Coordinates of all heavy atoms in Angstrom, one line a residue:
H1 N 8.5 2.3 -3.6 CA 7.7 3.5 -3.8 C 7.0 3.3 -5.1 O 7.4 2.6 -6.0 CB 8.6 4.8 -3.9 CG 9.5 5.0 -2.7 ND1 9.0 5.6 -1.6 CD2 10.7 4.6 -2.4 CE1 10.0 5.6 -0.6 NE2 11.0 5.0 -1.1
V2 N 5.8 4.0 -5.3 CA 5.0 3.7 -6.5 C 4.5 5.0 -7.1 O 3.9 5.9 -6.5 CB 3.7 2.9 -6.1 CG1 2.9 2.6 -7.3 CG2 4.2 1.6 -5.4
L3 N 4.7 5.1 -8.4 CA 4.0 6.1 -9.3 C 3.0 5.3 -10.1 O 3.4 4.5 -11.0 CB 5.0 6.8 -10.2 CG 4.4 7.8 -11.2 CD1 3.5 8.8 -10.6 CD2 5.5 8.4 -12.0
C4 N 1.7 5.4 -9.9 CA 0.7 4.7 -10.6 C 0.0 5.6 -11.5 O -0.4 6.7 -11.2 CB -0.3 4.1 -9.5 SG -1.6 3.1 -10.3
E5 N -0.2 5.1 -12.8 CA -0.9 5.9 -13.7 C -2.4 6.2 -13.3 O -2.9 5.4 -12.5 CB -1.0 5.2 -15.1 CG 0.2 5.6 -16.0 CD 0.2 7.1 -16.3 OE1 -0.8 7.8 -16.3 OE2 1.3 7.6 -16.4
K6 N -2.9 7.3 -13.8 CA -4.3 7.6 -13.5 C -5.2 6.6 -14.2 O -4.8 6.0 -15.2 CB -4.6 9.0 -13.9 CG -4.3 9.3 -15.4 CD -5.4 8.8 -16.3 CE -5.0 8.7 -17.7 NZ -5.9 7.9 -18.5
P7 N -6.4 6.3 -13.7 CA -6.9 6.7 -12.4 C -6.2 5.8 -11.3 O -5.8 4.7 -11.6 CB -8.4 6.4 -12.4 CG -8.5 5.3 -13.4 CD -7.4 5.6 -14.4
F8 N -6.1 6.3 -10.1 CA -5.3 5.6 -9.1 C -5.9 4.3 -8.8 O -5.2 3.3 -8.4 CB -5.4 6.5 -7.8 CG -4.5 6.1 -6.7 CD1 -3.1 6.0 -6.9 CD2 -5.0 5.7 -5.5 CE1 -2.3 5.6 -5.8 CE2 -4.2 5.3 -4.4 CZ -2.8 5.2 -4.6
S9 N -7.2 4.1 -8.9 CA -7.9 2.9 -8.6 C -9.2 2.8 -9.3 O -9.6 3.8 -10.1 CB -8.1 2.8 -7.1 OG -8.9 3.9 -6.6
A10 N -9.9 1.7 -9.1 CA -11.3 1.6 -9.8 C -12.3 2.3 -9.0 O -13.4 2.6 -9.5 CB -11.6 0.1 -9.9
N11 N -12.1 2.5 -7.7 CA -13.1 3.2 -6.8 C -12.4 3.7 -5.6 O -11.2 3.4 -5.3 CB -14.2 2.2 -6.4 CG -13.7 0.9 -5.8 OD1 -13.1 1.0 -4.7 ND2 -14.0 -0.2 -6.4
V12 N -13.1 4.5 -4.8 CA -12.4 5.1 -3.6 C -12.1 4.1 -2.5 O -11.0 4.3 -1.8 CB -13.4 6.2 -3.0 CG1 -14.6 5.6 -2.3 CG2 -12.6 7.1 -2.1
N13 N -12.8 3.0 -2.4 CA -12.4 2.0 -1.4 C -11.0 1.4 -1.7 O -10.2 1.2 -0.8 CB -13.5 0.9 -1.2 CG -14.8 1.4 -0.6 OD1 -14.7 2.4 0.2 ND2 -15.9 0.8 -0.9
E14 N -10.8 1.2 -2.9 CA -9.5 0.7 -3.3 C -8.4 1.7 -3.1 O -7.3 1.4 -2.6 CB -9.5 0.3 -4.8 CG -10.2 -1.0 -5.2 CD -10.1 -1.4 -6.6 OE1 -9.4 -0.6 -7.4 OE2 -10.6 -2.4 -7.0
A15 N -8.7 3.0 -3.3 CA -7.8 4.1 -3.1 C -7.4 4.2 -1.6 O -6.3 4.4 -1.2 CB -8.3 5.4 -3.6
I16 N -8.4 4.1 -0.8 CA -8.2 4.1 0.7 C -7.3 3.0 1.1 O -6.4 3.2 2.0 CB -9.6 4.1 1.4 CG1 -10.3 5.4 1.2 CG2 -9.4 3.9 2.9 CD1 -11.8 5.4 1.7
A17 N -7.5 1.8 0.6 CA -6.7 0.6 0.9 C -5.3 0.9 0.5 O -4.3 0.5 1.2 CB -7.3 -0.6 0.3
A18 N -5.1 1.4 -0.7 CA -3.7 1.7 -1.2 C -3.0 2.8 -0.3 O -1.8 2.7 0.0 CB -3.7 2.1 -2.6
A19 N -3.8 3.8 0.1 CA -3.2 4.9 0.9 C -2.8 4.3 2.3 O -1.7 4.7 2.8 CB -4.2 6.0 1.1
A20 N -3.6 3.4 2.8 CA -3.3 2.8 4.1 C -2.0 1.9 3.9 O -1.2 1.9 4.8 CB -4.4 1.9 4.6
A21 N -1.9 1.2 2.8 CA -0.7 0.4 2.6 C 0.5 1.3 2.5 O 1.6 0.9 2.9 CB -0.9 -0.4 1.3
A22 N 0.4 2.5 1.9 CA 1.5 3.4 1.8 C 2.0 3.9 3.2 O 3.2 4.0 3.5 CB 1.2 4.6 0.9
R23 N 1.0 4.2 4.0 CA 1.4 4.6 5.4 C 2.0 3.5 6.2 O 3.0 3.7 6.8 CB 0.1 5.1 6.1 CG -0.5 6.4 5.6 CD -1.5 6.9 6.6 NE -2.7 6.0 6.7 CZ -3.7 6.1 5.9 NH1 -3.8 6.9 4.9 NH2 -4.7 5.2 6.1
Q24 N 1.5 2.3 6.0 CA 2.1 1.2 6.7 C 3.5 0.9 6.3 O 4.4 0.6 7.0 CB 1.2 -0.1 6.6 CG 1.7 -1.3 7.3 CD 0.8 -2.5 7.2 OE1 -0.3 -2.4 6.6 NE2 1.2 -3.6 7.8
A25 N 3.7 0.9 4.9 CA 5.0 0.6 4.4 C 6.0 1.8 4.5 O 7.2 1.6 4.3 CB 4.9 0.3 2.9
Q26 N 5.5 3.0 4.8 CA 6.3 4.2 4.9 C 7.0 4.5 3.6 O 8.2 4.7 3.5 CB 7.3 4.1 6.1 CG 6.6 4.0 7.4 CD 7.6 4.0 8.6 OE1 8.7 4.5 8.4 NE2 7.2 3.6 9.7
R27 N 6.2 4.3 2.5 CA 6.7 4.6 1.2 C 5.8 5.6 0.5 O 4.6 5.8 0.9 CB 6.7 3.3 0.3 CG 7.7 2.2 0.8 CD 9.1 2.7 0.6 NE 10.1 1.7 1.0 CZ 10.6 1.6 2.2 NH1 10.2 2.4 3.2 NH2 11.6 0.7 2.4
Q28 N 6.4 6.3 -0.5 CA 5.6 7.3 -1.2 C 4.9 6.8 -2.4 O 5.3 5.8 -3.0 CB 6.6 8.4 -1.7 CG 7.3 9.2 -0.6 CD 7.6 10.6 -0.9 OE1 6.7 11.3 -1.5 NE2 8.7 11.1 -0.6
V29 N 3.7 7.3 -2.6 CA 2.8 7.0 -3.7 C 2.3 8.2 -4.4 O 2.0 9.2 -3.7 CB 1.6 6.1 -3.2 CG1 0.6 5.8 -4.3 CG2 2.1 4.8 -2.6
M30 N 2.2 8.2 -5.7 CA 1.7 9.3 -6.4 C 0.9 8.8 -7.6 O 1.2 7.9 -8.2 CB 2.8 10.3 -6.9 CG 2.2 11.6 -7.4 SD 3.6 12.8 -7.8 CE 4.2 12.1 -9.3
E31 N -0.3 9.5 -7.9 CA -1.1 9.2 -9.0 C -0.5 10.0 -10.2 O -0.2 11.2 -10.1 CB -2.5 9.7 -8.8 CG -3.5 9.4 -9.9 CD -4.9 9.7 -9.6 OE1 -5.1 10.4 -8.6 OE2 -5.8 9.2 -10.3
G32 N -0.4 9.3 -11.4 CA 0.3 9.9 -12.5 C -0.4 10.9 -13.4 O -0.8 10.5 -14.5
F33 N -0.7 12.1 -12.9 CA -1.2 13.2 -13.7 C -0.1 14.0 -14.2 O 0.3 15.0 -13.5 CB -2.2 14.0 -12.9 CG -3.6 13.3 -12.9 CD1 -4.1 13.0 -11.6 CD2 -4.4 13.1 -14.0 CE1 -5.4 12.4 -11.6 CE2 -5.6 12.6 -13.9 CZ -6.1 12.2 -12.7
M34 N 0.4 13.7 -15.3 CA 1.6 14.4 -15.8 C 1.4 15.9 -16.1 O 2.4 16.7 -16.0 CB 2.1 13.7 -17.1 CG 1.3 14.0 -18.4 SD -0.4 13.5 -18.3 CE -1.0 14.0 -19.9
W35 N 0.2 16.3 -16.4 CA -0.1 17.7 -16.8 C 0.3 18.7 -15.7 O 0.6 19.8 -15.9 CB -1.6 17.9 -17.2 CG -2.5 17.7 -16.0 CD1 -3.2 16.6 -15.7 CD2 -3.0 18.7 -15.2 NE1 -4.0 16.8 -14.6 CE2 -3.9 18.2 -14.3 CE3 -2.7 20.1 -15.0 CZ2 -4.5 18.9 -13.2 CZ3 -3.3 20.8 -14.0 CH2 -4.2 20.2 -13.1
R36 N 0.2 18.2 -14.4 CA 0.4 19.1 -13.3 C 1.9 19.6 -13.2 O 2.2 20.5 -12.5 CB 0.1 18.3 -12.0 CG -1.4 17.9 -11.9 CD -1.8 17.4 -10.5 NE -1.3 16.1 -10.3 CZ -1.9 15.2 -9.4 NH1 -3.0 15.7 -8.7 NH2 -1.4 14.0 -9.1
F37 N 2.8 18.9 -13.9 CA 4.2 19.3 -13.9 C 4.7 20.1 -15.0 O 5.8 20.5 -15.1 CB 5.0 18.0 -13.7 CG 4.7 17.2 -12.5 CD1 3.7 16.2 -12.6 CD2 5.2 17.5 -11.3 CE1 3.4 15.5 -11.4 CE2 4.8 16.8 -10.1 CZ 3.9 15.8 -10.2
H38 N 3.8 20.4 -16.0 CA 4.2 21.2 -17.1 C 4.3 22.7 -16.7 O 3.4 23.2 -15.9 CB 3.2 21.1 -18.2 CG 3.7 21.6 -19.5 ND1 3.9 22.9 -19.8 CD2 4.2 20.9 -20.6 CE1 4.4 23.0 -21.0 NE2 4.6 21.8 -21.5

């Protein structure tokens, strides 16, 4: 499983590829915006 610091990627195509990899691996992924949890 992956918690990746922001920004999630350099561009949206990379983000789409990473999201597809998460679905294929059946693992959770989250972009690290810590402020949302305060």
Side-chain angles (χ1 to χ4, degrees):
H1 302 276
V2 179
L3 173 58
C4 179
E5 266 306 325
K6 57 78 195 167
F8 189 63
S9 59
N11 55 62
V12 72
N13 290 333
E14 289 186 355
I16 290 170
R23 289 192 297 271
Q24 182 176 357
Q26 298 183 19
R27 292 295 183 269
Q28 295 213 42
V29 173
M30 189 172 77
E31 183 176 15
F33 280 116
M34 76 297 180
W35 69 268
R36 298 189 285 203
F37 300 95
H38 197 286

